[in-house]
Amino acid sequence: MILTFLDVLVLLGVILGLFLSVLLFSSRSFRSDVHRYFVLVVASLSSILTYVYFEQHFPAVALLELISWEFLFPFAFMMYVLKAIKYPLGSSGKVWWWAAPFLILTLAYFVDFFLGFDLFYWLAGNNLEKLEIMIEVKAFTFLLFSILLVGFSYIRIRRAKGLYKTERRWLELNSLFLLVYLWVWMLGDPITLLFDVTIWNYLLAILAIFLVWVTYRGIHHLNISEQRRQIQRIEVKAVAITAKKEPLEGDHFMATQDIRSPIYQKTADKLQKLNTLMVDEQMYCDPNLTRTMVAEKLNISEGYLSELLGTNLKIGFNDFINKFRVDRAINMFHDRQFHLFSIEAIGFEAGFKSKSVFYTAFKKGYSKNSW
């Protein structure tokens, strides 16, 4: 048998997909629900690609059809997203109703294989023409079901709060790719008739490339996510990971204001509250922290907050927040408990949205001690 380029590409996608599934499923480092559902997504797509492409050449591959991978895939992807964004539905018992098609069809396949009772043939009244129609309806239902669940997942990602930039981008890219892919597959027959081009091999090749990419990027992404979870679980003293409690009054402000002045007392009070928000409540750890959120906490306007920082500390809002984040990261670098974690994971945990922003802030030499 001579292997074509498409054969090699599909084999590579399948092998990497299954390898990633086995690796993550057996690894003690990846035991969270998020990782398990990600493994199910990759395993489902790898299995679908395997029996669609290789069933004619290797009859034994038909054993994979004992499990309804086509209905497991959209449910697993939805659960992966819901767990990743911590959406309440992901922990609700009601969500398991969406697994009903997978469970029912898998049970039917096992009954057919072991007992010789073909549920679909029986429902079709032992009529082959009706059976073919039912198979087409099942395929169409799978595509609609998948589009519904993946589309719902994409909407939830867009509306999710508290996600890091890289995490949101990763989830959005996967969702968008799958949505476009499913729609193109659904419109495959009309496209073939309209343009007189067979697109099925191209679609299989694209799915194989996606599996290769998601395997390569997925391991890195999941590794960073797992490191962040481990960092959050480590119990350390507050002084080891927070900025020191230092007064925020700048020298310029102290030298030019009358300490008995009501204006000074009001400003000093706001600065102290700001210090409490940063040091005690660690608001800077929120990657989506905005000037509006801080101003509302202080019961002042955004303009007054900017004036407060600019006049007294000679610093802008973003630089002010990043100083605390870099201080937190530096303290973690100096703590032996965090030596095994990557710089990227520590940067995310300190509140930076992306590694590029963290590196830029770090290179500027931000440290609250230098104010």
Side-chain angles (χ1 to χ4, degrees):
M1 177 182 177
I2 300 176
L3 294 178
T4 65
F5 175 75
L6 181 59
D7 294 333
V8 174
L9 187 60
V10 172
L11 272 174
L12 181 62
V14 168
I15 291 173
L16 287 178
L18 294 177
F19 171 75
L20 173 65
S21 302
V22 174
L23 175 67
L24 294 183
F25 190 78
S26 59
S27 174
R28 293 184 178 181
S29 301
F30 298 95
R31 291 295 177 88
S32 68
D33 288 340
V34 177
H35 299 137
R36 291 191 181 97
Y37 284 113
F38 179 78
V39 167
L40 285 178
V41 172
V42 175
S44 299
L45 291 176
S46 300
S47 299
I48 292 172
L49 183 60
T50 301
Y51 70 69
V52 168
Y53 191 78
F54 292 108
E55 184 178 10
Q56 293 181 349
H57 304 290
F58 305 100
V61 170
L63 291 174
L64 286 172
E65 295 189 75
L66 287 176
I67 297 177
S68 180
W69 299 104
E70 68 273 24
F71 281 94
L72 175 60
F73 144 67
F75 174 74
F77 183 80
M78 181 183 71
M79 289 298 293
Y80 165 60
V81 170
L82 295 181
K83 292 291 184 180
I85 66 176
K86 298 179 181 178
Y87 189 66
L89 180 62
S91 302
S92 170
K94 296 179 180 179
V95 76
W96 288 98
W97 284 105
W98 292 102
F102 158 71
L103 296 173
I104 293 172
L105 284 174
T106 299
L107 178 62
Y109 294 156
F110 270 86
V111 169
D112 180 23
F113 183 79
F114 290 105
L115 302 180
F117 177 74
D118 191 333
L119 177 63
F120 293 100
Y121 191 61
W122 176 74
L123 290 175
N126 300 331
N127 187 303
L128 290 178
E129 291 184 359
K130 291 183 179 179
L131 178 62
E132 291 179 0
I133 294 175
M134 288 189 65
I135 293 174
E136 290 295 328
V137 170
K138 188 190 77 167
F140 186 74
T141 303
F142 148 66
L143 290 170
L144 281 180
F145 183 74
S146 298
I147 290 172
L148 174 64
L149 266 58
V150 175
F152 171 75
S153 301
Y154 178 73
I155 292 173
R156 295 270 47 103
I157 295 168
R158 297 287 294 177
R159 296 180 179 178
K161 297 180 180 179
L163 285 180
Y164 287 91
K165 183 178 179 180
T166 52
E167 190 171 7
R168 185 185 299 276
R169 186 190 300 122
W170 164 260
L171 293 172
E172 285 181 347
L173 283 175
N174 282 280
S175 301
L176 282 174
F177 169 82
L178 291 172
L179 274 176
V180 172
Y181 188 87
L182 289 166
W183 274 110
V184 173
W185 191 282
M186 177 178 284
L187 299 174
D189 287 333
I191 292 174
T192 300
L193 292 174
L194 186 62
F195 297 100
D196 194 25
V197 176
T198 302
I199 66 170
W200 306 114
N201 284 343
Y202 294 107
L203 287 176
L204 293 175
I206 291 172
L207 181 57
I209 293 172
F210 174 73
L211 281 171
V212 173
W213 176 78
V214 85
T215 301
Y216 170 73
R217 291 295 303 168
I219 291 179
H220 172 73
H221 177 78
L222 291 178
N223 183 43
I224 294 297
S225 299
E226 184 61 26
Q227 286 188 42
R228 287 186 54 213
R229 289 184 178 86
Q230 291 179 21
I231 289 173
Q232 293 168 2
R233 287 196 294 263
I234 292 178
E235 295 182 358
V236 293
K237 294 181 180 180
V239 69
I241 58 172
T242 57
K244 296 178 181 179
K245 287 190 176 182
E246 297 176 353
L248 297 182
E249 293 92 347
D251 293 337
H252 172 75
F253 174 73
M254 295 292 289
T256 57
Q257 297 294 328
D258 182 357
I259 194 171
R260 294 168 297 178
S261 167
I263 297 178
Y264 169 79
Q265 293 296 335
K266 178 182 177 182
T267 304
D269 179 61
K270 295 300 181 184
L271 286 170
Q272 187 56 49
K273 287 183 178 179
L274 180 59
N275 189 53
T276 300
L277 291 177
M278 296 299 113
V279 177
D280 294 341
E281 299 185 22
Q282 298 182 9
M283 283 190 72
Y284 59 87
C285 289
D286 181 358
N288 298 306
L289 184 65
T290 63
R291 193 192 323 266
T292 302
M293 294 165 63
V294 176
E296 288 178 353
K297 282 281 188 177
L298 295 173
N299 292 320
I300 59 177
S301 67
E302 294 181 47
Y304 183 61
L305 174 59
S306 297
E307 181 183 347
L308 197 67
L309 294 173
T311 302
N312 301 293
L313 301 178
K314 305 299 181 183
I315 194 171
F317 176 79
N318 290 334
D319 288 347
F320 172 77
I321 297 300
N322 284 341
K323 284 179 182 291
F324 279 94
R325 290 169 175 166
V326 171
D327 260 15
R328 177 182 171 93
I330 290 175
N331 285 326
M332 293 173 76
F333 291 151
H334 291 163
D335 192 318
R336 290 185 177 181
Q337 296 183 86
F338 300 102
H339 281 185
L340 296 178
F341 300 114
S342 67
I343 294 176
E344 189 174 352
I346 289 176
F348 287 150
E349 196 56 33
F352 289 98
K353 275 191 173 183
S354 67
K355 62 181 180 182
S356 60
V357 176
F358 174 46
Y359 291 158
T360 300
F362 195 85
K363 287 178 181 178
K364 284 184 178 180
Y366 280 148
S367 175
K368 196 160 61 64
N369 297 328
S370 66
W371 292 0

